[in-house]
Amino acid sequence: MQYFLPPVFRGESAEYLPLAGEVNWGMEVLGVNHLRSIVKSKIKVGVVDTGIDKNHPLLNHCAGSKSFVPGESDYDGNGHGVHVSGTVAASDPRIGVATGFPFYHGKGLSNGGSGGSGLLNAMEWCVEQGCKVVSNSWGGGGQDMDWERRFEAMNNHPSRPWLIFAGGNSGPNTPDTDWPGRSRHLINVAALNQDLTPASFSSAGDKIDTSGPGVNIWSCKPGGGFQQMSGTSMSTPWVAGLLALYRAGLEERGMYIPTIYELREQLFNRSTDVHTPGDDRRTGPGALMAVILANALTVDPPKYVP
Amino acid sequence: MVADESPVASDSFAVVKIVGLTAGESVIFEVSPEPKKLIEVKDGIHFNGSEKKYQVVATIINWEARQFYKKKLDVPFGVKPNPPPEKPPVTPISSLYFLIIRPDGPVDMSFTKAMSLPAWATIRDGGHEYKEKTVSEAKALGYNVKSGTKIPTVITLSIVDGKSTVVRESIDFPVTNEKILELPNGVK
């Protein structure tokens, strides 16, 4: 079975970021500093995509990379892998949500943007490296029970990784989001505009677990420099970065680490409604706002005994 | 005649006083074992001694009445008294936990905006704590919202020695900085 990058909408590029001011709108709109200000530690995160450029000045803290594409090195000849890696963990807080977190990149998609079983192998490799959150901006094809079993096996790994997936860019009239994002073993992410309305391209479906910024996202470009892209490919690393901060906060406080199934329940109750009230087919429960995740890091009061 | 049996002791020297002598009485002290440096035996025993327990015998003599009696005291000289048992840390009543209870399901945007207000940081800087839970999550912890209560709502708790006490029942969830800063007010 073949999997592909969702169609990505490429925007402007630049050699240098603006020296001041907001580069990525989501940092302020989602209030990322609410989490950054109270989370002091870092965890390992993983990205499975088209490869990496470890010489990019914002990505040279990459902890490891490996190509699972026959005949291709781990270098990103596409641009998509470097972009999503930057959004998860670039060392500049204007770009990387989980700024400077150690990350691993498993190249499971070719430079042309397609992949097969190497994608699954790359995910498992990330989990074996100790990645607690793995960002996956790819999908397509139909449900595969063997893959479902391997997703479930990863969820049962002692490190309880959270596997985050893009919902797809086929628009509001789709009967469902892409597979494997809609698998119950994974977290499925939709994309939002800057005003937190659903992005026009973001696929509709019954199982969307949360939403993040996906339009005009600045991130890194192979060879240096930066470029804008839009897609659920961009909202997925955004959510992965927020969840990496959240998980690091849970771990440093010795708090319970939810399974991915419990995390889905938490996301339902911790996302903020931005479309029709409650669960909806465009944004699921809504936008993942950092202030609500940060609040969840406060220790519960003791059980009340009257 | 009253014998003050409470010696004054310190690391550097010790004093035993026998007080309340009537006129004409005099006192002879014997200290066993004898301290190395006896400083004074005028109206008590003053000496430098190592940390040990001494027996002091005060013989009180009234020459005119031809009476005498002895008072024995076991005195720990220079021995530091045992410190009082440490009390477990007590959370002052002024430290409050504001449990915010909101409806189950996705968060309303107006609630998220209110939770983003800077006054919450001031509340925490003041030594208080706060957390929001859904109705179901709060119920699982034993905190129930009375029927008819407008939610979101705030229940104020005092947590002492791991035990939670509701010190104020539900009040309206504050949505401005001013109202948030008023949360600790009026809690007995």
Side-chain angles (χ1 to χ4, degrees):
Chain A
M1 191 169 293
Q2 286 284 299
Y3 298 90
F4 303 96
L5 290 177
V8 173
F9 310 96
R10 298 184 189 233
E12 293 178 53
S13 64
E15 289 306 305
Y16 303 100
L17 289 174
L19 290 176
E22 185 67 30
V23 173
N24 273 319
W25 55 267
M27 300 296 177
E28 184 173 350
V29 172
L30 269 63
V32 178
N33 274 342
H34 282 288
L35 267 174
R36 286 178 179 159
S37 63
I38 61 169
V39 175
K40 305 302 176 197
S41 58
K42 293 174 179 169
I43 59 166
K44 293 177 183 175
V45 293
V47 178
V48 173
D49 214 275
T50 59
I52 189 69
D53 175 7
K54 289 187 278 193
N55 291 321
H56 192 288
L58 300 190
L59 298 174
N60 56 17
H61 60 292
C62 177
S65 60
K66 186 174 179 179
S67 175
F68 294 85
V69 177
E72 291 190 12
S73 74
D74 63 355
Y75 187 79
D76 182 11
N78 181 292
H80 191 269
V82 163
H83 196 280
V84 296
S85 297
T87 301
V88 175
S91 55
D92 187 315
R94 295 172 296 173
I95 298 291
V97 178
T99 313
F101 274 38
F103 73 99
Y104 290 78
H105 192 107
K107 176 165 176 162
L109 289 168
S110 68
N111 293 331
S114 63
S117 59
L119 287 160
L120 202 48
N121 296 334
M123 289 177 70
E124 290 169 341
W125 175 79
C126 285
V127 171
E128 290 304 321
Q129 305 313 303
C131 298
K132 306 291 181 60
V133 178
V134 183
S135 183
N136 300 271
S137 294
W138 47 271
Q143 186 180 23
D144 183 312
M145 293 313 292
D146 182 51
W147 281 54
E148 292 276 23
R149 279 189 287 275
R150 287 173 71 177
F151 292 143
E152 188 173 13
M154 279 187 263
N155 288 339
N156 290 331
H157 189 275
S159 65
R160 287 190 176 181
W162 295 344
L163 310 174
I164 318 301
F165 267 79
N169 299 339
S170 301
N173 299 318
T174 47
D176 213 340
T177 54
D178 284 354
W179 197 84
R182 63 175 184 266
S183 163
R184 71 182 191 90
H185 302 302
L186 310 171
I187 297 299
N188 199 22
V189 180
L192 301 170
N193 295 308
Q194 185 166 353
D195 62 2
L196 298 182
T197 55
S200 59
F201 53 77
S202 191
S203 296
D206 291 334
K207 184 201 162 280
I208 295 173
D209 297 310
T210 193
S211 302
V215 176
N216 296 332
I217 306 299
W218 279 103
S219 190
C220 306
K221 187 175 73 171
F226 307 91
Q227 63 182 327
Q228 275 188 321
M229 291 190 188
S230 302
T232 52
S233 286
M234 283 67 245
S235 57
T236 299
W238 243 100
V239 166
L242 283 174
L243 290 176
L245 284 164
Y246 175 53
R247 177 136 181 184
L250 288 173
E251 292 193 2
E252 73 187 22
R253 288 163 176 76
M255 296 173 79
Y256 176 74
I257 304 298
T259 65
I260 203 158
Y261 312 104
E262 293 165 328
L263 176 66
R264 173 171 300 117
E265 184 72 19
Q266 287 194 8
L267 292 175
F268 180 74
N269 283 307
R270 297 276 174 273
S271 297
T272 297
D273 256 328
V274 289
H275 196 44
T276 52
D279 202 5
D280 68 72
R281 286 177 50 82
R282 297 302 313 286
T283 68
L288 192 58
M289 308 287 276
V291 68
I292 302 296
L293 284 180
N295 188 269
L297 292 176
T298 301
V299 175
D300 282 345
K303 199 164 176 134
Y304 182 61
V305 182
Chain B
M1 159 89 207
V2 176
D4 182 354
E5 296 183 9
S6 302
V8 179
S10 74
D11 286 343
S12 57
F13 69 95
V15 179
V16 173
K17 286 185 177 180
I18 304 294
V19 297
L21 299 177
T22 54
E25 286 184 345
S26 59
V27 183
I28 298 171
F29 291 104
E30 298 168 51
V31 182
S32 176
E34 188 175 347
K36 289 181 179 174
K37 288 189 177 179
L38 199 58
I39 298 171
E40 191 178 16
V41 286
K42 193 174 178 182
D43 57 356
I45 310 166
H46 299 236
F47 62 90
N48 285 332
S50 56
E51 288 186 0
K52 62 173 72 170
K53 186 181 280 187
Y54 294 89
Q55 188 172 66
V56 176
V57 180
T59 304
I60 298 105
I61 305 167
N62 188 324
W63 295 105
E64 288 182 10
R66 295 183 180 274
Q67 289 178 336
F68 74 97
Y69 54 92
K70 291 189 175 182
K71 193 79 178 174
K72 284 185 182 177
L73 306 169
D74 286 332
V75 186
F77 286 158
V79 178
K80 291 176 184 174
N82 290 329
E86 280 189 21
K87 292 181 180 175
V90 176
T91 306
I93 191 72
S94 60
S95 177
L96 301 169
Y97 193 115
F98 301 106
L99 178 62
I100 303 154
I101 302 177
R102 62 174 174 82
D104 290 339
V107 186
D108 187 79
M109 182 57 85
S110 61
F111 181 88
T112 298
K113 285 182 177 171
M115 290 304 300
S116 304
L117 292 171
W120 288 110
T122 308
I123 288 289
R124 196 163 272 160
D125 291 345
H128 306 297
E129 194 52 275
Y130 65 90
K131 184 168 190 175
E132 52 90 10
K133 308 285 283 183
T134 66
V135 170
S136 296
E137 291 167 344
K139 191 175 180 180
L141 288 170
Y143 301 94
N144 294 308
V145 177
K146 290 178 181 171
S147 64
T149 303
K150 180 182 154 194
I151 53 174
T153 188
V154 183
I155 294 176
T156 308
L157 312 174
S158 170
I159 299 169
V160 179
D161 297 340
K163 188 176 186 307
S164 175
T165 306
V166 176
V167 293
R168 183 172 59 196
E169 294 290 349
S170 295
I171 59 170
D172 287 348
F173 174 66
V175 294
T176 64
N177 281 313
E178 292 73 21
K179 289 289 183 188
I180 293 166
L181 295 175
E182 288 174 7
L183 275 174
N185 298 345
V187 179
K188 294 178 182 175

